[in-house]
């Protein structure tokens, strides 16, 4: 995690390259004017964006209705997301333009034009209707990164059935809980997918999950790997079989601007993930406008955002933002290093990718693999680079700039969250000078600030809490089924209704934002959020565990690595076998991404007299800041803890 001290030393500034600035879709002049408008009247700014970037069936009566902390944007208006991502492009000459260029890990590939994608989406929307899915019904997706995932998402939006995409790396138990929480009645999945050179299975996890989901009526299975797959008669259907029987005619439903668009689960500070709810018109306005302004997409671009559709980045900047802009989107199914460490660079060369949007953890992985791999490929098609998911350390930023961007591509470091729906703090590549490690300035219309505990803005260079003081169109509309948690988690930190994202930050003399990372009990592992409590409750559910505490420690590649301090039940042999057992146990409960990198056994966890686990101490120990001899046991730490306790 970067600290303020070292970030304050970062003095390099990169002006937008002249050639880029000249052609940028959002010029410096426009940015300055829109920024002013956004400061004066966010509502007028967003209304302008809504008119410019979204096609509406019916106009709004009111731009914003704000009864803090509940917002309604574009009240009374009607639109449809799939109409905006597909139909309108067929009317404006993009029917035969590539919408999706997909490559599977084994090297197979498919291209879907806007015309073809539209047809597939209409058909699958009819499949959903045939399965009894009506407007408002929830549909769960648990899929590899294949075009059918995008088709299914768009088909849901076409008929107004909110989707809940669950990342394919989550376990059967996580899937079951998410299906039940959302009350989904249909699950879309695949037999499996390709990863790291072999086919993995997905359907068995769905079978296991759905056994505990009384509300699920049907399961639709895409045939991707052709591995043997058990199908339950009456419940399970092959995608291709259903698609063979339906018409390609399905008019888009005219939906209210505030109609639920999707639910996406993310980790919080309790053991229970939160179902973040996004709605239709405001979200679409936010992602469509930011995609054009920040990624500068035009008809000559091949745009590649490397996120999976199971995360918010995949929703907003693989699917909805780019397709609303009529862009050509590259999708790649597999891991970056298969069959060799240069797979990504060969994809960029092969397809002539012009805009690349990825995460610092990937960049750091490539730094370690060596410059020779990107250097072997012609990356001259690239003209813009993006970063998202965690603070990018200046060193990684410089490498990205030099080795991947050939020193000619601007880098947009974009700060936002599952909850914000779209990008909030970011440079505009043709207008805002960048500084390595800074997400620079709020997007026009976004009122971001760094506040102290009393809600006062801190002085430049001082650390504080990141905050958003006014509602914005892409903001979450709530936590599915839990209004109280919504109010408490995001809106109760200060007296005035102000959104608290959970991050620390500071601003420099020029007002640039430097994000310092999470300040709550949420870890950011490779740009993905994992709650310490979730991992803890998974570990303590193991019969040989009495107690556990989980913290993050800095990691060169993943940003943060998970460390678990575990007290076994008496009589349990704490050793390598139990470590492996517990790692497997966590993978089974949550998913492989939540496996602790390190498990350390201890007879007692350091606690304050009131019984609170001293996490700060554990974090220091995990980071190796405490030198206490043998680090495989914590026995001595309880003594240390007692010493520390007297200091608190
Ligand atoms: C958390 C949100 C936004 C899509 C991916 C993650 C961290 C995200 C940045 C950035 C510094 C960042 C924050 C935030 N984060 N982008 N550019 N610089 N930190 O979405 O899982 O909802 O996680 O990711 O800590 O709160 P998410």
């Amino acid at each position: 995690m970067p600290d303020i001290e070292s970030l304050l030393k970062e003095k390099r500034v990169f002006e937008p390259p002249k050639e880029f600035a000249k052609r940028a879709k959002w010029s410096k002049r426009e940015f300055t004017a829109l920024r002013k408008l956004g400061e004066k009247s966010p509502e007028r700014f967003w209304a302008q964006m809504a008119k410019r970037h979204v096609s509406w069936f019916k106009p709004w009566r009111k731009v914003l209705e704000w009864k803090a902390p509940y917002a309604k944007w574009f009240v009374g208006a009607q639109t449809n997301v799939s109409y905006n991502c597909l139909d309108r492009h067929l009317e404006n000459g993009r029917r035969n333009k590539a919408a999706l260029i997909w490559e599977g890990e084994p090297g197979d590939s498919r291209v879907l034009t806007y015309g073809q994608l539209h047809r597939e989406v209409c058909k699958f929307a009819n499949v959903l209707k045939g399965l009894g899915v009506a407007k408002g019904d929830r549909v769960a997706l648990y899929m590899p990164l294949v075009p059918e995932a995008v088709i299914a998402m768009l088909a849901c939006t076409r008929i107004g059935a909110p989707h809940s995409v669950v990342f394919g790396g989550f376990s059967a138990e996580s899937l079951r809980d998410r299906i039940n929480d959302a009350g989904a009645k249909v699950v879309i999945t695949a037999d499996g997918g390709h990863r790291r050179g072999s086919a993995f299975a997905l359907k068995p996890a769905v079978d296991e999950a759905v056994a505990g989901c009384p509300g699920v009526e049907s399961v639709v299975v895409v045939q991707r790997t052709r591995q043997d797959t058990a199908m339950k008669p009456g419940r399970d259907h092959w995608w291709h079989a259903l698609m063979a029987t339906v018409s390609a005619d399905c008019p888009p439903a005219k939906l209210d601007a505030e109609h639920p668009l999707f639910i996406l689960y993310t980790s919080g500070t309790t053991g229970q993930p939160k179902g973040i709810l996004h709605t239709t018109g405001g979200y679409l306005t936010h992602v469509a406008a930011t995609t054009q302004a920040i990624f500068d997409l035009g008809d000559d671009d091949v745009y590649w955002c490397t996120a999976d559709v199971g995360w918010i980045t995949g929703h907003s900047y693989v699917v909805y933002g780019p397709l609303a802009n009529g862009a050509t989107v590259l999708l790649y199914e597999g891991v970056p290093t298969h069959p060799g460490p240069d797979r990504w660079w060969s994809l960029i060369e092969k397809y002539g990718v012009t805009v690349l949007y990825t995460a610092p953890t990937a960049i750091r992985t490539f730094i370690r693999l060596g410059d020779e791999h990107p250097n072997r490929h012609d990356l001259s098609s690239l003209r813009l680079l993006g970063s998202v998911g965690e603070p990018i350390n200046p060193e990684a930023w410089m490498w990205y700039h030099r080795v991947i961007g050939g020193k000619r591509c601007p880098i947009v470091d974009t700060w936002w969250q599952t909850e914000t729906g779209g990008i909030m703090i970011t440079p505009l590549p043709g207008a805002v000078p960048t500084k390595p490690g800074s997400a620079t300035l709020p997007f026009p219309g976004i009122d971001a600030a760094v506040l102290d505990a009393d809600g006062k803005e801190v002085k430049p260079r001082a650390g504080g809490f990141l905050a958003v003081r006014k509602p914005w169109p892409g903001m979450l509309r709530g936590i599915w089924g839990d209004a109280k948690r919504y109010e408490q988690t995001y809106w109760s930190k200060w007296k005035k209704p102000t959104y608290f994202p959970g991050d620390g930050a500071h601003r420099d003399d020029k007002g640039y934002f430097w994000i310092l990372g999470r300040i709550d009990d949420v870890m950011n592992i490779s740009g993905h959020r994992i709650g310490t409590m979730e991992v803890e409750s998974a570990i303590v559910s193991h019969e040989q565990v009495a107690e556990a505490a989980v913290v993050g420690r800095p990691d060169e590649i993943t940003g943060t690595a998970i460390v678990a301090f575990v007290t076994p039940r008496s009589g349990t042999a704490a050793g390598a076998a139990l470590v492996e057992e517990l790692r497997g146990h966590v993978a089974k409960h949550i998913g492989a991404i939540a496996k602790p990198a390190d498990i350390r056994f201890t007879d007692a966890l350091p606690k304050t007299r009131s019984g609170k686990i001293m996490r700060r101490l554990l974090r220091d120990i995990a980071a190796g800041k405490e030198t206490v001899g043998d680090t495989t046991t914590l026995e001595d730490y309880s003594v240390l803890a007692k010493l520390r306790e007297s200091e608190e």
Side-chain angles (χ1 to χ4, degrees), residues 122-134 158-159 249-251:
C122 287
K123 283 171 66 183
F124 196 66
N126 281 332
V127 165
L128 290 173
K129 284 186 191 167
L131 294 173
V133 178
R158 197 161 188 87
I159 61 173
D249 180 30
C250 179

Side-chain angles (χ1 to χ4, degrees), residues 1-2 264-267 276 307 311-314 317 357 359-360 387-392 412-423 425 437-439 466 499 501-504 514-520 522-524 526-530:
M1 203 50 65
L264 183 60
Y265 287 84
T266 189
S267 293
I276 303 300
W311 308 108
I312 191 67
T313 310
Y317 298 107
Y357 188 32
S387 172
V388 62
E390 58 178 311
I392 180 166
V412 288
D413 173 3
T414 59
W415 178 88
W416 59 296
Q417 312 177 295
T418 304
E419 291 87 339
T420 68
I423 294 169
I425 303 179
S438 171
L466 189 57
Y499 177 77
D503 279 329
W514 299 75
I515 313 294
L516 301 167
R518 308 284 313 182
I519 54 142
D520 51 9
V522 173
M523 300 169 289
N524 187 324
S526 300
H528 301 309
R529 242 197 272 179
I530 311 275

Side-chain angles (χ1 to χ4, degrees), residues 28 58 70 72 101 139 142 203 346 404 471 489 547 586:
K28 181 157 185 187
K58 197 177 144 197
Y70 295 95
K72 285 185 183 158
I101 300 175
V139 174
Y142 185 66
K203 178 67 168 37
S346 76
I404 306 307
T489 308
E547 206 178 18
V586 172

Side-chain angles (χ1 to χ4, degrees), residues 376-578:
R376 240 196 346 265
H377 292 276
D378 179 5
L379 305 181
S380 61
S381 58
L382 287 171
R383 61 182 195 93
L384 175 61
L385 303 173
S387 172
V388 62
E390 58 178 311
I392 180 166
N393 44 311
E395 211 182 309
W397 196 103
M398 288 305 300
W399 184 89
Y400 199 26
H401 168 73
R402 190 167 42 81
V403 181
I404 306 307
K407 298 188 184 162
R408 71 183 177 278
C409 305
I411 297 180
V412 288
D413 173 3
T414 59
W415 178 88
W416 59 296
Q417 312 177 295
T418 304
E419 291 87 339
T420 68
I423 294 169
M424 302 289 277
I425 303 179
T426 178
L428 293 202
V432 177
T434 54
K435 302 180 187 183
S438 171
T440 74
L441 300 169
F443 190 75
I446 300 295
D447 182 21
V450 180
L451 306 179
D452 65 16
D454 299 325
K456 275 213 299 288
E457 234 175 316
V458 301
K459 291 206 181 66
R461 307 164 82 86
F465 305 104
L466 189 57
V468 187
R469 292 180 293 200
K470 292 201 188 88
W472 65 99
M475 66 185 268
L476 76 165
R477 298 302 196 268
I479 295 175
W480 187 257
D482 200 342
K484 204 160 171 198
R485 192 173 176 193
Y486 168 67
E487 291 162 18
Q488 275 167 1
T489 308
Y490 303 110
W491 300 96
S492 65
K493 188 161 186 72
W494 296 286
K495 255 197 234 107
K496 271 200 222 151
T498 302
Y499 177 77
F500 175 51
D503 279 329
H506 76 273
R507 299 180 79 167
D508 65 19
D509 308 329
K510 290 264 188 305
Y512 275 39
F513 284 74
W514 299 75
I515 313 294
L516 301 167
R518 308 284 313 182
I519 54 142
D520 51 9
D521 285 328
V522 173
M523 300 169 289
N524 187 324
I525 315 296
S526 300
H528 301 309
R529 242 197 272 179
I530 311 275
T532 51
M533 280 287 293
E534 265 176 88
V535 184
E536 273 168 22
S537 50
I539 293 175
V540 298
S541 73
H542 190 277
E543 52 182 14
Q544 286 170 309
V545 172
E547 206 178 18
V550 167
V551 296
R553 72 155 153 76
D555 182 273
E556 209 187 309
I557 300 294
T558 59
T560 305
I562 304 176
V563 180
F565 295 89
V566 175
T567 307
R569 281 191 195 281
S570 57
T572 298
L578 186 56

